[in-house]
Amino acid sequence: MPESGLSGAPHIRTTDTTPQGTPPTGRATTAARRTGLLVTLVLGGLTALPPLSMDMYLPALPAVTDSLHAPAATVQLTLTACLTGMALGQVVVGPMSDRWGRRRPLLLGMAVYVLATALCIFAPSAGLLIAFRLLQGLAGAAGIVISRAVVRDMYDGVAMARFFSTLMLISGVAPVIAPVIGGQVLRLTDWRGIFGVLTGVGLLLTFVVWKWLGETLPPAERHTGGVGDALRTMRGLLADRVFTGYMVAGSLAFAALFAYVSASPFVVQEIYGASPQTFSLLFGINSVGLITVGQINGKLLVGRVSLDKALTFGLVVIVAAATALLLMTSGVFGDVGLVPVAAGLFVLMSAMGLAMPNTNAQALMRTKHAAGSASALLGTSQFLIGAIASPLVGIAGEETAVPMAVVQLVCAAGALVCFLGLCRPWQRPSAI
């Protein structure tokens, strides 16, 4: 495997032309398209693994509480542990990838992910399952942080913003099919079988990375410092008010999304009486909405509307949807039933297609010199705040959806305030 490039391709930074600024030849265009497709598929698989790990498991949460004789709040900690692991792992893997390149840390992380997922199959208690899920998250963090860093290595400007939206299409397939697969697996076996399927997926992805994903960070561009240098780099990134604004806004939006992910199995199945298959269908529909809006963002809005304007609109819609959900779940409109609540969740999830890719793109465009560390900060912030939001949605028990709506509204409003207060888009001319 070559030290740079993907599948033998040379290291390039893609914009709207070749690096020299001249239109590409026909042969160069064909090679670039093949390389771009390969990058999209490989990175899409890596970014799909975390939602696959989380969402395939969701229909099984009530079954896990019965199997392990643990309360729902304890079982929800298996989600929190996985998120916490993903957050902490990125702090380590991001600077590692800036120093040693993208490929080696990624392969190591994938190998440990496979081991941790296999251990989940045999967990005899909720406590050990929480521990194995923490290890799974720590290892799975490598795919998250390094995939974003690879995008920053190879793309810039409009091309990077569009690639993030395309990546959302690939990775967004995971939350569409994962609950459906999980629901069907539960027809054939118990919740442990879900982790068996995930182990197989992890093995497949590890092989794909080893076979086709080459190095995208040339040795000349790597950081040679140690832990102190990495911490100074991160401190410098956090000192950038605008970068921090995008980071916190994106993280709070992610927390609103994960409040839905964590609470929805109990809200849909326990409160509204839906079956695991119905829950999987509704979850898939919401994911289709997120993917569709993400593609509208990448294909139609980027290059025509500034990312900040699209981001503002997305955050406002999320706040409005969360407000409507709070009013419905608190009984202001009486007993509204599942359909109106599902509609509110659909609008909230769809608007994430404007919030998530645009916050990532805008933040990373300010961090050309340290893409791995910047990606680590983005991911760590998202998953830590998401991990905090996860147990809060069940604080009032399994009989009400009000805590979910409250967490979503607080996080969405906080995201909008941080974006406007720290990024101050009206003071900066938007480049794209």
Side-chain angles (χ1 to χ4, degrees), residues 221-240:
E221 297 183 13
R222 298 176 189 175
H223 293 191
T224 57
V227 175
D229 182 65
L231 292 176
R232 283 190 294 271
T233 298
M234 289 186 174
R235 186 169 63 246
L237 291 171
L238 292 174
D240 181 348

mmCIF file of all heavy atoms in Angstrom, residues 221-240:
data_model
loop_
_atom_site.group_PDB
_atom_site.id
_atom_site.type_symbol
_atom_site.label_atom_id
_atom_site.label_comp_id
_atom_site.label_asym_id
_atom_site.label_seq_id
_atom_site.Cartn_x
_atom_site.Cartn_y
_atom_site.Cartn_z
ATOM 1 N N GLU A 221 3.657 16.807 6.121
ATOM 2 C CA GLU A 221 2.605 17.615 6.730
ATOM 3 C C GLU A 221 2.219 17.132 8.120
ATOM 4 O O GLU A 221 1.280 17.643 8.728
ATOM 5 C CB GLU A 221 1.366 17.618 5.824
ATOM 6 C CG GLU A 221 1.612 18.254 4.463
ATOM 7 C CD GLU A 221 0.350 18.315 3.615
ATOM 8 O OE1 GLU A 221 -0.753 18.091 4.174
ATOM 9 O OE2 GLU A 221 0.470 18.583 2.409
ATOM 10 N N ARG A 222 2.924 16.134 8.649
ATOM 11 C CA ARG A 222 2.572 15.594 9.955
ATOM 12 C C ARG A 222 3.213 16.406 11.077
ATOM 13 O O ARG A 222 4.270 16.998 10.888
ATOM 14 C CB ARG A 222 3.007 14.128 10.057
ATOM 15 C CG ARG A 222 2.308 13.242 9.047
ATOM 16 C CD ARG A 222 2.808 11.806 9.088
ATOM 17 N NE ARG A 222 2.258 11.056 7.961
ATOM 18 C CZ ARG A 222 2.577 9.797 7.668
ATOM 19 N NH1 ARG A 222 3.435 9.147 8.449
ATOM 20 N NH2 ARG A 222 2.045 9.201 6.617
ATOM 21 N N HIS A 223 2.559 16.385 12.227
ATOM 22 C CA HIS A 223 3.101 17.048 13.412
ATOM 23 C C HIS A 223 4.079 16.106 14.094
ATOM 24 O O HIS A 223 3.796 14.916 14.251
ATOM 25 C CB HIS A 223 1.974 17.418 14.386
ATOM 26 C CG HIS A 223 1.062 18.474 13.843
ATOM 27 N ND1 HIS A 223 0.135 19.113 14.612
ATOM 28 C CD2 HIS A 223 0.934 19.014 12.599
ATOM 29 C CE1 HIS A 223 -0.536 19.998 13.866
ATOM 30 N NE2 HIS A 223 -0.066 19.941 12.645
ATOM 31 N N THR A 224 5.196 16.626 14.515
ATOM 32 C CA THR A 224 6.224 15.784 15.133
ATOM 33 C C THR A 224 6.263 15.920 16.650
ATOM 34 O O THR A 224 7.013 15.215 17.314
ATOM 35 C CB THR A 224 7.612 16.136 14.564
ATOM 36 O OG1 THR A 224 7.869 17.533 14.786
ATOM 37 C CG2 THR A 224 7.654 15.851 13.070
ATOM 38 N N GLY A 225 5.490 16.824 17.206
ATOM 39 C CA GLY A 225 5.512 17.041 18.645
ATOM 40 C C GLY A 225 4.799 15.940 19.404
ATOM 41 O O GLY A 225 4.143 15.073 18.837
ATOM 42 N N GLY A 226 4.902 15.973 20.717
ATOM 43 C CA GLY A 226 4.275 14.983 21.573
ATOM 44 C C GLY A 226 2.935 15.448 22.094
ATOM 45 O O GLY A 226 2.223 16.250 21.467
ATOM 46 N N VAL A 227 2.606 14.965 23.294
ATOM 47 C CA VAL A 227 1.315 15.291 23.895
ATOM 48 C C VAL A 227 1.182 16.789 24.131
ATOM 49 O O VAL A 227 0.125 17.389 23.898
ATOM 50 C CB VAL A 227 1.141 14.518 25.215
ATOM 51 C CG1 VAL A 227 -0.142 14.935 25.924
ATOM 52 C CG2 VAL A 227 1.147 13.017 24.960
ATOM 53 N N GLY A 228 2.272 17.416 24.597
ATOM 54 C CA GLY A 228 2.226 18.855 24.856
ATOM 55 C C GLY A 228 1.905 19.648 23.614
ATOM 56 O O GLY A 228 1.115 20.603 23.660
ATOM 57 N N ASP A 229 2.486 19.250 22.478
ATOM 58 C CA ASP A 229 2.214 19.947 21.225
ATOM 59 C C ASP A 229 0.753 19.774 20.812
ATOM 60 O O ASP A 229 0.115 20.713 20.337
ATOM 61 C CB ASP A 229 3.142 19.423 20.134
ATOM 62 C CG ASP A 229 2.952 20.143 18.812
ATOM 63 O OD1 ASP A 229 3.243 21.352 18.752
ATOM 64 O OD2 ASP A 229 2.489 19.501 17.848
ATOM 65 N N ALA A 230 0.240 18.557 21.008
ATOM 66 C CA ALA A 230 -1.167 18.304 20.664
ATOM 67 C C ALA A 230 -2.103 19.150 21.522
ATOM 68 O O ALA A 230 -3.092 19.710 21.023
ATOM 69 C CB ALA A 230 -1.487 16.820 20.841
ATOM 70 N N LEU A 231 -1.796 19.254 22.815
ATOM 71 C CA LEU A 231 -2.642 20.056 23.705
ATOM 72 C C LEU A 231 -2.577 21.536 23.339
ATOM 73 O O LEU A 231 -3.589 22.243 23.388
ATOM 74 C CB LEU A 231 -2.206 19.854 25.153
ATOM 75 C CG LEU A 231 -2.470 18.457 25.742
ATOM 76 C CD1 LEU A 231 -1.906 18.362 27.152
ATOM 77 C CD2 LEU A 231 -3.958 18.133 25.733
ATOM 78 N N ARG A 232 -1.381 22.015 22.958
ATOM 79 C CA ARG A 232 -1.266 23.416 22.539
ATOM 80 C C ARG A 232 -2.058 23.674 21.268
ATOM 81 O O ARG A 232 -2.687 24.734 21.112
ATOM 82 C CB ARG A 232 0.208 23.778 22.343
ATOM 83 C CG ARG A 232 0.966 24.016 23.651
ATOM 84 C CD ARG A 232 2.343 24.595 23.387
ATOM 85 N NE ARG A 232 3.202 23.630 22.685
ATOM 86 C CZ ARG A 232 3.967 22.738 23.297
ATOM 87 N NH1 ARG A 232 3.971 22.662 24.620
ATOM 88 N NH2 ARG A 232 4.727 21.924 22.592
ATOM 89 N N THR A 233 -2.035 22.701 20.350
ATOM 90 C CA THR A 233 -2.811 22.848 19.115
ATOM 91 C C THR A 233 -4.300 22.940 19.420
ATOM 92 O O THR A 233 -5.014 23.797 18.890
ATOM 93 C CB THR A 233 -2.544 21.656 18.182
ATOM 94 O OG1 THR A 233 -1.152 21.627 17.829
ATOM 95 C CG2 THR A 233 -3.377 21.768 16.906
ATOM 96 N N MET A 234 -4.779 22.063 20.286
ATOM 97 C CA MET A 234 -6.197 22.084 20.644
ATOM 98 C C MET A 234 -6.566 23.376 21.375
ATOM 99 O O MET A 234 -7.648 23.931 21.154
ATOM 100 C CB MET A 234 -6.537 20.870 21.501
ATOM 101 C CG MET A 234 -6.539 19.554 20.753
ATOM 102 S SD MET A 234 -7.116 18.182 21.774
ATOM 103 C CE MET A 234 -7.167 16.867 20.542
ATOM 104 N N ARG A 235 -5.676 23.834 22.241
ATOM 105 C CA ARG A 235 -5.946 25.089 22.943
ATOM 106 C C ARG A 235 -6.047 26.243 21.961
ATOM 107 O O ARG A 235 -6.899 27.130 22.095
ATOM 108 C CB ARG A 235 -4.855 25.358 23.976
ATOM 109 C CG ARG A 235 -5.146 26.588 24.850
ATOM 110 C CD ARG A 235 -4.211 26.683 26.039
ATOM 111 N NE ARG A 235 -2.826 26.843 25.632
ATOM 112 C CZ ARG A 235 -1.867 25.955 25.836
ATOM 113 N NH1 ARG A 235 -2.143 24.805 26.430
ATOM 114 N NH2 ARG A 235 -0.620 26.185 25.454
ATOM 115 N N GLY A 236 -5.179 26.235 20.951
ATOM 116 C CA GLY A 236 -5.246 27.277 19.931
ATOM 117 C C GLY A 236 -6.540 27.224 19.137
ATOM 118 O O GLY A 236 -7.123 28.267 18.801
ATOM 119 N N LEU A 237 -7.018 26.008 18.846
ATOM 120 C CA LEU A 237 -8.285 25.879 18.128
ATOM 121 C C LEU A 237 -9.443 26.407 18.977
ATOM 122 O O LEU A 237 -10.336 27.107 18.471
ATOM 123 C CB LEU A 237 -8.526 24.411 17.766
ATOM 124 C CG LEU A 237 -7.593 23.805 16.719
ATOM 125 C CD1 LEU A 237 -7.805 22.299 16.622
ATOM 126 C CD2 LEU A 237 -7.808 24.449 15.356
ATOM 127 N N LEU A 238 -9.441 26.067 20.262
ATOM 128 C CA LEU A 238 -10.522 26.524 21.136
ATOM 129 C C LEU A 238 -10.492 28.026 21.350
ATOM 130 O O LEU A 238 -11.514 28.637 21.664
ATOM 131 C CB LEU A 238 -10.440 25.799 22.483
ATOM 132 C CG LEU A 238 -10.750 24.302 22.450
ATOM 133 C CD1 LEU A 238 -10.490 23.671 23.811
ATOM 134 C CD2 LEU A 238 -12.188 24.060 22.010
ATOM 135 N N ALA A 239 -9.303 28.631 21.190
ATOM 136 C CA ALA A 239 -9.208 30.084 21.328
ATOM 137 C C ALA A 239 -9.833 30.806 20.147
ATOM 138 O O ALA A 239 -10.104 32.013 20.230
ATOM 139 C CB ALA A 239 -7.745 30.505 21.477
ATOM 140 N N ASP A 240 -10.071 30.094 19.055
ATOM 141 C CA ASP A 240 -10.741 30.673 17.893
ATOM 142 C C ASP A 240 -12.240 30.717 18.191
ATOM 143 O O ASP A 240 -12.920 29.691 18.202
ATOM 144 C CB ASP A 240 -10.456 29.817 16.654
ATOM 145 C CG ASP A 240 -11.102 30.364 15.389
ATOM 146 O OD1 ASP A 240 -11.956 31.267 15.476
ATOM 147 O OD2 ASP A 240 -10.749 29.886 14.294
#
